[in-house]
Amino acid sequence: MKKFMVLYHAPAAVVQQTLLHNRDDTEKGMRAWVLWAQRCGDKLVDLGWPLVNGQEITPGGEQKKSAKDVTGYSILQAENMEDAKALLMDHPHLAWNPACSIEVHETLPLPVM
């Protein structure tokens, strides 16, 4: 099986809204994630974590706040990209807000050093 890195995107304003949610709304949102994870079964290698405060570092050493809206990650395993995308079609992140999106990348094995 191949491994796939899943990146979750959401505008900062959407992320800030979640900080205002009450406990019941937060638990409801997490239940949707748990159900998705259960549907994936052993194809979900790592549920991942939320991400904040991204930084960009250039080859010249410049450091600045990332302009990308990456808010989390997961790692899946699947036979191919189509199977990986099928696991993401009903993902709760996509129902969070119309401005949200998911990006998926196939990982490559490292060459022998």
Side-chain angles (χ1 to χ4, degrees), residues 47-77:
L47 180 59
W49 292 90
L51 300 173
V52 296
N53 300 325
Q55 296 289 304
E56 180 180 353
I57 303 169
T58 68
E62 181 184 355
Q63 301 175 27
K64 62 183 179 181
K65 182 178 175 159
S66 174
K68 298 171 180 69
D69 58 1
V70 177
T71 59
Y73 77 95
S74 294
I75 300 174
L76 296 174
Q77 62 183 4

PDB file of all heavy atoms in Angstrom, residues 47-77:
ATOM      1  N   LEU A  47      -4.346   9.899  12.513  1.00  0.00           N
ATOM      2  CA  LEU A  47      -5.413  10.906  12.435  1.00  0.00           C
ATOM      3  C   LEU A  47      -4.826  12.298  12.348  1.00  0.00           C
ATOM      4  O   LEU A  47      -5.373  13.173  11.702  1.00  0.00           O
ATOM      5  CB  LEU A  47      -6.338  10.794  13.650  1.00  0.00           C
ATOM      6  CG  LEU A  47      -7.505  11.771  13.707  1.00  0.00           C
ATOM      7  CD1 LEU A  47      -8.418  11.622  12.501  1.00  0.00           C
ATOM      8  CD2 LEU A  47      -8.277  11.591  14.999  1.00  0.00           C
ATOM      9  N   GLY A  48      -3.661  12.498  12.953  1.00  0.00           N
ATOM     10  CA  GLY A  48      -2.985  13.792  12.900  1.00  0.00           C
ATOM     11  C   GLY A  48      -3.415  14.723  14.008  1.00  0.00           C
ATOM     12  O   GLY A  48      -4.017  14.310  14.998  1.00  0.00           O
ATOM     13  N   TRP A  49      -3.083  15.992  13.822  1.00  0.00           N
ATOM     14  CA  TRP A  49      -3.334  17.032  14.808  1.00  0.00           C
ATOM     15  C   TRP A  49      -3.663  18.334  14.094  1.00  0.00           C
ATOM     16  O   TRP A  49      -3.256  18.541  12.951  1.00  0.00           O
ATOM     17  CB  TRP A  49      -2.084  17.266  15.667  1.00  0.00           C
ATOM     18  CG  TRP A  49      -1.756  16.123  16.556  1.00  0.00           C
ATOM     19  CD1 TRP A  49      -0.952  15.066  16.252  1.00  0.00           C
ATOM     20  CD2 TRP A  49      -2.231  15.901  17.872  1.00  0.00           C
ATOM     21  NE1 TRP A  49      -0.893  14.208  17.321  1.00  0.00           N
ATOM     22  CE2 TRP A  49      -1.677  14.694  18.337  1.00  0.00           C
ATOM     23  CE3 TRP A  49      -3.068  16.611  18.722  1.00  0.00           C
ATOM     24  CZ2 TRP A  49      -1.927  14.180  19.589  1.00  0.00           C
ATOM     25  CZ3 TRP A  49      -3.324  16.092  19.976  1.00  0.00           C
ATOM     26  CH2 TRP A  49      -2.747  14.894  20.401  1.00  0.00           C
ATOM     27  N   PRO A  50      -4.345  19.239  14.789  1.00  0.00           N
ATOM     28  CA  PRO A  50      -4.513  20.585  14.233  1.00  0.00           C
ATOM     29  C   PRO A  50      -3.146  21.271  14.155  1.00  0.00           C
ATOM     30  O   PRO A  50      -2.244  20.979  14.939  1.00  0.00           O
ATOM     31  CB  PRO A  50      -5.408  21.293  15.252  1.00  0.00           C
ATOM     32  CG  PRO A  50      -6.083  20.194  16.006  1.00  0.00           C
ATOM     33  CD  PRO A  50      -5.105  19.057  16.029  1.00  0.00           C
ATOM     34  N   LEU A  51      -3.013  22.190  13.213  1.00  0.00           N
ATOM     35  CA  LEU A  51      -1.778  22.949  13.038  1.00  0.00           C
ATOM     36  C   LEU A  51      -2.091  24.440  13.087  1.00  0.00           C
ATOM     37  O   LEU A  51      -3.107  24.882  12.553  1.00  0.00           O
ATOM     38  CB  LEU A  51      -1.131  22.619  11.692  1.00  0.00           C
ATOM     39  CG  LEU A  51      -0.738  21.164  11.462  1.00  0.00           C
ATOM     40  CD1 LEU A  51      -0.276  20.957  10.026  1.00  0.00           C
ATOM     41  CD2 LEU A  51       0.348  20.737  12.431  1.00  0.00           C
ATOM     42  N   VAL A  52      -1.213  25.205  13.716  1.00  0.00           N
ATOM     43  CA  VAL A  52      -1.341  26.665  13.772  1.00  0.00           C
ATOM     44  C   VAL A  52       0.048  27.284  13.682  1.00  0.00           C
ATOM     45  O   VAL A  52       1.064  26.595  13.827  1.00  0.00           O
ATOM     46  CB  VAL A  52      -2.035  27.156  15.068  1.00  0.00           C
ATOM     47  CG1 VAL A  52      -3.471  26.668  15.131  1.00  0.00           C
ATOM     48  CG2 VAL A  52      -1.272  26.737  16.306  1.00  0.00           C
ATOM     49  N   ASN A  53       0.093  28.570  13.445  1.00  0.00           N
ATOM     50  CA  ASN A  53       1.340  29.352  13.483  1.00  0.00           C
ATOM     51  C   ASN A  53       2.398  28.851  12.510  1.00  0.00           C
ATOM     52  O   ASN A  53       3.581  28.795  12.838  1.00  0.00           O
ATOM     53  CB  ASN A  53       1.912  29.408  14.903  1.00  0.00           C
ATOM     54  CG  ASN A  53       0.955  30.043  15.875  1.00  0.00           C
ATOM     55  OD1 ASN A  53       0.222  30.958  15.519  1.00  0.00           O
ATOM     56  ND2 ASN A  53       0.922  29.549  17.097  1.00  0.00           N
ATOM     57  N   GLY A  54       1.987  28.495  11.289  1.00  0.00           N
ATOM     58  CA  GLY A  54       2.940  28.026  10.282  1.00  0.00           C
ATOM     59  C   GLY A  54       3.970  29.090   9.939  1.00  0.00           C
ATOM     60  O   GLY A  54       3.666  30.279   9.871  1.00  0.00           O
ATOM     61  N   GLN A  55       5.187  28.657   9.739  1.00  0.00           N
ATOM     62  CA  GLN A  55       6.287  29.544   9.385  1.00  0.00           C
ATOM     63  C   GLN A  55       6.914  29.079   8.074  1.00  0.00           C
ATOM     64  O   GLN A  55       7.013  27.896   7.815  1.00  0.00           O
ATOM     65  CB  GLN A  55       7.357  29.540  10.484  1.00  0.00           C
ATOM     66  CG  GLN A  55       6.868  30.080  11.809  1.00  0.00           C
ATOM     67  CD  GLN A  55       6.647  31.576  11.744  1.00  0.00           C
ATOM     68  OE1 GLN A  55       7.544  32.337  11.415  1.00  0.00           O
ATOM     69  NE2 GLN A  55       5.430  31.998  12.065  1.00  0.00           N
ATOM     70  N   GLU A  56       7.335  30.033   7.273  1.00  0.00           N
ATOM     71  CA  GLU A  56       8.026  29.753   6.018  1.00  0.00           C
ATOM     72  C   GLU A  56       9.477  30.182   6.171  1.00  0.00           C
ATOM     73  O   GLU A  56       9.764  31.289   6.637  1.00  0.00           O
ATOM     74  CB  GLU A  56       7.365  30.526   4.873  1.00  0.00           C
ATOM     75  CG  GLU A  56       8.017  30.285   3.541  1.00  0.00           C
ATOM     76  CD  GLU A  56       7.341  31.057   2.421  1.00  0.00           C
ATOM     77  OE1 GLU A  56       6.286  31.671   2.645  1.00  0.00           O
ATOM     78  OE2 GLU A  56       7.901  31.046   1.313  1.00  0.00           O
ATOM     79  N   ILE A  57      10.378  29.300   5.789  1.00  0.00           N
ATOM     80  CA  ILE A  57      11.812  29.583   5.855  1.00  0.00           C
ATOM     81  C   ILE A  57      12.372  29.385   4.458  1.00  0.00           C
ATOM     82  O   ILE A  57      12.188  28.334   3.850  1.00  0.00           O
ATOM     83  CB  ILE A  57      12.521  28.650   6.857  1.00  0.00           C
ATOM     84  CG1 ILE A  57      11.883  28.798   8.241  1.00  0.00           C
ATOM     85  CG2 ILE A  57      14.021  28.943   6.895  1.00  0.00           C
ATOM     86  CD1 ILE A  57      12.319  27.744   9.235  1.00  0.00           C
ATOM     87  N   THR A  58      13.040  30.396   3.922  1.00  0.00           N
ATOM     88  CA  THR A  58      13.573  30.333   2.563  1.00  0.00           C
ATOM     89  C   THR A  58      15.031  29.855   2.580  1.00  0.00           C
ATOM     90  O   THR A  58      15.692  29.872   3.633  1.00  0.00           O
ATOM     91  CB  THR A  58      13.501  31.709   1.885  1.00  0.00           C
ATOM     92  OG1 THR A  58      14.417  32.592   2.554  1.00  0.00           O
ATOM     93  CG2 THR A  58      12.091  32.277   1.921  1.00  0.00           C
ATOM     94  N   PRO A  59      15.569  29.457   1.413  1.00  0.00           N
ATOM     95  CA  PRO A  59      16.977  29.049   1.358  1.00  0.00           C
ATOM     96  C   PRO A  59      17.938  30.141   1.833  1.00  0.00           C
ATOM     97  O   PRO A  59      19.001  29.852   2.358  1.00  0.00           O
ATOM     98  CB  PRO A  59      17.205  28.730  -0.121  1.00  0.00           C
ATOM     99  CG  PRO A  59      15.861  28.341  -0.635  1.00  0.00           C
ATOM    100  CD  PRO A  59      14.898  29.220   0.124  1.00  0.00           C
ATOM    101  N   GLY A  60      17.540  31.401   1.681  1.00  0.00           N
ATOM    102  CA  GLY A  60      18.381  32.506   2.137  1.00  0.00           C
ATOM    103  C   GLY A  60      18.256  32.799   3.621  1.00  0.00           C
ATOM    104  O   GLY A  60      18.897  33.698   4.136  1.00  0.00           O
ATOM    105  N   GLY A  61      17.412  32.031   4.317  1.00  0.00           N
ATOM    106  CA  GLY A  61      17.256  32.201   5.751  1.00  0.00           C
ATOM    107  C   GLY A  61      16.125  33.137   6.158  1.00  0.00           C
ATOM    108  O   GLY A  61      15.906  33.353   7.347  1.00  0.00           O
ATOM    109  N   GLU A  62      15.419  33.714   5.175  1.00  0.00           N
ATOM    110  CA  GLU A  62      14.288  34.581   5.515  1.00  0.00           C
ATOM    111  C   GLU A  62      13.215  33.746   6.211  1.00  0.00           C
ATOM    112  O   GLU A  62      12.926  32.623   5.808  1.00  0.00           O
ATOM    113  CB  GLU A  62      13.706  35.212   4.257  1.00  0.00           C
ATOM    114  CG  GLU A  62      12.555  36.140   4.541  1.00  0.00           C
ATOM    115  CD  GLU A  62      11.918  36.690   3.273  1.00  0.00           C
ATOM    116  OE1 GLU A  62      12.411  36.438   2.180  1.00  0.00           O
ATOM    117  OE2 GLU A  62      10.906  37.387   3.414  1.00  0.00           O
ATOM    118  N   GLN A  63      12.648  34.307   7.248  1.00  0.00           N
ATOM    119  CA  GLN A  63      11.604  33.626   7.998  1.00  0.00           C
ATOM    120  C   GLN A  63      10.408  34.551   8.113  1.00  0.00           C
ATOM    121  O   GLN A  63      10.558  35.723   8.444  1.00  0.00           O
ATOM    122  CB  GLN A  63      12.113  33.258   9.393  1.00  0.00           C
ATOM    123  CG  GLN A  63      13.322  32.353   9.352  1.00  0.00           C
ATOM    124  CD  GLN A  63      13.887  32.097  10.724  1.00  0.00           C
ATOM    125  OE1 GLN A  63      13.184  32.141  11.719  1.00  0.00           O
ATOM    126  NE2 GLN A  63      15.182  31.811  10.782  1.00  0.00           N
ATOM    127  N   LYS A  64       9.232  33.989   7.806  1.00  0.00           N
ATOM    128  CA  LYS A  64       8.014  34.791   7.901  1.00  0.00           C
ATOM    129  C   LYS A  64       6.830  33.870   8.135  1.00  0.00           C
ATOM    130  O   LYS A  64       6.921  32.652   7.937  1.00  0.00           O
ATOM    131  CB  LYS A  64       7.801  35.619   6.644  1.00  0.00           C
ATOM    132  CG  LYS A  64       7.623  34.793   5.382  1.00  0.00           C
ATOM    133  CD  LYS A  64       7.482  35.675   4.163  1.00  0.00           C
ATOM    134  CE  LYS A  64       7.343  34.803   2.914  1.00  0.00           C
ATOM    135  NZ  LYS A  64       7.226  35.597   1.713  1.00  0.00           N
ATOM    136  N   LYS A  65       5.732  34.473   8.542  1.00  0.00           N
ATOM    137  CA  LYS A  65       4.512  33.706   8.761  1.00  0.00           C
ATOM    138  C   LYS A  65       4.052  33.107   7.433  1.00  0.00           C
ATOM    139  O   LYS A  65       4.075  33.761   6.401  1.00  0.00           O
ATOM    140  CB  LYS A  65       3.426  34.608   9.338  1.00  0.00           C
ATOM    141  CG  LYS A  65       2.147  33.886   9.631  1.00  0.00           C
ATOM    142  CD  LYS A  65       1.108  34.778  10.252  1.00  0.00           C
ATOM    143  CE  LYS A  65      -0.150  33.948  10.365  1.00  0.00           C
ATOM    144  NZ  LYS A  65      -1.090  34.374  11.281  1.00  0.00           N
ATOM    145  N   SER A  66       3.654  31.851   7.465  1.00  0.00           N
ATOM    146  CA  SER A  66       3.179  31.185   6.257  1.00  0.00           C
ATOM    147  C   SER A  66       1.887  31.827   5.786  1.00  0.00           C
ATOM    148  O   SER A  66       0.996  32.138   6.578  1.00  0.00           O
ATOM    149  CB  SER A  66       2.940  29.697   6.535  1.00  0.00           C
ATOM    150  OG  SER A  66       2.348  29.083   5.409  1.00  0.00           O
ATOM    151  N   ALA A  67       1.767  32.022   4.486  1.00  0.00           N
ATOM    152  CA  ALA A  67       0.546  32.570   3.892  1.00  0.00           C
ATOM    153  C   ALA A  67      -0.440  31.458   3.542  1.00  0.00           C
ATOM    154  O   ALA A  67      -1.542  31.726   3.097  1.00  0.00           O
ATOM    155  CB  ALA A  67       0.901  33.366   2.637  1.00  0.00           C
ATOM    156  N   LYS A  68      -0.049  30.227   3.754  1.00  0.00           N
ATOM    157  CA  LYS A  68      -0.922  29.095   3.455  1.00  0.00           C
ATOM    158  C   LYS A  68      -1.876  28.868   4.621  1.00  0.00           C
ATOM    159  O   LYS A  68      -1.567  29.182   5.757  1.00  0.00           O
ATOM    160  CB  LYS A  68      -0.086  27.860   3.161  1.00  0.00           C
ATOM    161  CG  LYS A  68       0.795  28.059   1.932  1.00  0.00           C
ATOM    162  CD  LYS A  68       1.771  26.932   1.754  1.00  0.00           C
ATOM    163  CE  LYS A  68       2.631  27.140   0.551  1.00  0.00           C
ATOM    164  NZ  LYS A  68       3.577  28.233   0.672  1.00  0.00           N
ATOM    165  N   ASP A  69      -3.002  28.304   4.337  1.00  0.00           N
ATOM    166  CA  ASP A  69      -4.028  28.132   5.365  1.00  0.00           C
ATOM    167  C   ASP A  69      -4.122  26.678   5.836  1.00  0.00           C
ATOM    168  O   ASP A  69      -5.204  26.140   5.996  1.00  0.00           O
ATOM    169  CB  ASP A  69      -5.381  28.635   4.856  1.00  0.00           C
ATOM    170  CG  ASP A  69      -5.826  27.924   3.585  1.00  0.00           C
ATOM    171  OD1 ASP A  69      -5.105  27.031   3.091  1.00  0.00           O
ATOM    172  OD2 ASP A  69      -6.912  28.250   3.081  1.00  0.00           O
ATOM    173  N   VAL A  70      -2.979  26.050   6.065  1.00  0.00           N
ATOM    174  CA  VAL A  70      -2.959  24.665   6.528  1.00  0.00           C
ATOM    175  C   VAL A  70      -3.373  24.645   8.001  1.00  0.00           C
ATOM    176  O   VAL A  70      -2.790  25.339   8.833  1.00  0.00           O
ATOM    177  CB  VAL A  70      -1.566  24.027   6.352  1.00  0.00           C
ATOM    178  CG1 VAL A  70      -1.548  22.607   6.896  1.00  0.00           C
ATOM    179  CG2 VAL A  70      -1.160  24.040   4.892  1.00  0.00           C
ATOM    180  N   THR A  71      -4.395  23.831   8.308  1.00  0.00           N
ATOM    181  CA  THR A  71      -4.916  23.802   9.679  1.00  0.00           C
ATOM    182  C   THR A  71      -4.795  22.432  10.328  1.00  0.00           C
ATOM    183  O   THR A  71      -5.174  22.266  11.484  1.00  0.00           O
ATOM    184  CB  THR A  71      -6.389  24.223   9.702  1.00  0.00           C
ATOM    185  OG1 THR A  71      -7.144  23.341   8.870  1.00  0.00           O
ATOM    186  CG2 THR A  71      -6.550  25.655   9.233  1.00  0.00           C
ATOM    187  N   GLY A  72      -4.280  21.450   9.591  1.00  0.00           N
ATOM    188  CA  GLY A  72      -4.125  20.120  10.164  1.00  0.00           C
ATOM    189  C   GLY A  72      -3.643  19.127   9.118  1.00  0.00           C
ATOM    190  O   GLY A  72      -3.472  19.464   7.951  1.00  0.00           O
ATOM    191  N   TYR A  73      -3.421  17.893   9.573  1.00  0.00           N
ATOM    192  CA  TYR A  73      -2.954  16.843   8.681  1.00  0.00           C
ATOM    193  C   TYR A  73      -3.469  15.490   9.153  1.00  0.00           C
ATOM    194  O   TYR A  73      -3.859  15.314  10.305  1.00  0.00           O
ATOM    195  CB  TYR A  73      -1.423  16.804   8.616  1.00  0.00           C
ATOM    196  CG  TYR A  73      -0.815  16.164   9.841  1.00  0.00           C
ATOM    197  CD1 TYR A  73      -0.484  14.804   9.841  1.00  0.00           C
ATOM    198  CD2 TYR A  73      -0.621  16.877  11.019  1.00  0.00           C
ATOM    199  CE1 TYR A  73       0.040  14.200  10.979  1.00  0.00           C
ATOM    200  CE2 TYR A  73      -0.105  16.285  12.140  1.00  0.00           C
ATOM    201  CZ  TYR A  73       0.220  14.945  12.128  1.00  0.00           C
ATOM    202  OH  TYR A  73       0.722  14.343  13.241  1.00  0.00           O
ATOM    203  N   SER A  74      -3.446  14.538   8.240  1.00  0.00           N
ATOM    204  CA  SER A  74      -3.659  13.121   8.538  1.00  0.00           C
ATOM    205  C   SER A  74      -2.777  12.332   7.580  1.00  0.00           C
ATOM    206  O   SER A  74      -2.311  12.867   6.570  1.00  0.00           O
ATOM    207  CB  SER A  74      -5.120  12.686   8.311  1.00  0.00           C
ATOM    208  OG  SER A  74      -6.004  13.299   9.210  1.00  0.00           O
ATOM    209  N   ILE A  75      -2.559  11.063   7.885  1.00  0.00           N
ATOM    210  CA  ILE A  75      -1.834  10.174   6.980  1.00  0.00           C
ATOM    211  C   ILE A  75      -2.711   8.959   6.715  1.00  0.00           C
ATOM    212  O   ILE A  75      -3.176   8.301   7.649  1.00  0.00           O
ATOM    213  CB  ILE A  75      -0.470   9.756   7.561  1.00  0.00           C
ATOM    214  CG1 ILE A  75       0.394  10.997   7.801  1.00  0.00           C
ATOM    215  CG2 ILE A  75       0.232   8.765   6.624  1.00  0.00           C
ATOM    216  CD1 ILE A  75       1.702  10.731   8.509  1.00  0.00           C
ATOM    217  N   LEU A  76      -2.923   8.690   5.421  1.00  0.00           N
ATOM    218  CA  LEU A  76      -3.716   7.538   4.983  1.00  0.00           C
ATOM    219  C   LEU A  76      -2.825   6.551   4.269  1.00  0.00           C
ATOM    220  O   LEU A  76      -1.746   6.906   3.778  1.00  0.00           O
ATOM    221  CB  LEU A  76      -4.800   7.983   3.993  1.00  0.00           C
ATOM    222  CG  LEU A  76      -5.878   8.923   4.475  1.00  0.00           C
ATOM    223  CD1 LEU A  76      -6.748   9.351   3.297  1.00  0.00           C
ATOM    224  CD2 LEU A  76      -6.722   8.247   5.539  1.00  0.00           C
ATOM    225  N   GLN A  77      -3.296   5.319   4.153  1.00  0.00           N
ATOM    226  CA  GLN A  77      -2.671   4.364   3.254  1.00  0.00           C
ATOM    227  C   GLN A  77      -3.763   3.818   2.350  1.00  0.00           C
ATOM    228  O   GLN A  77      -4.897   3.605   2.784  1.00  0.00           O
ATOM    229  CB  GLN A  77      -1.949   3.252   3.991  1.00  0.00           C
ATOM    230  CG  GLN A  77      -2.790   2.373   4.863  1.00  0.00           C
ATOM    231  CD  GLN A  77      -1.957   1.345   5.592  1.00  0.00           C
ATOM    232  OE1 GLN A  77      -0.737   1.334   5.503  1.00  0.00           O
ATOM    233  NE2 GLN A  77      -2.613   0.474   6.322  1.00  0.00           N
TER     234      GLN A  77
END
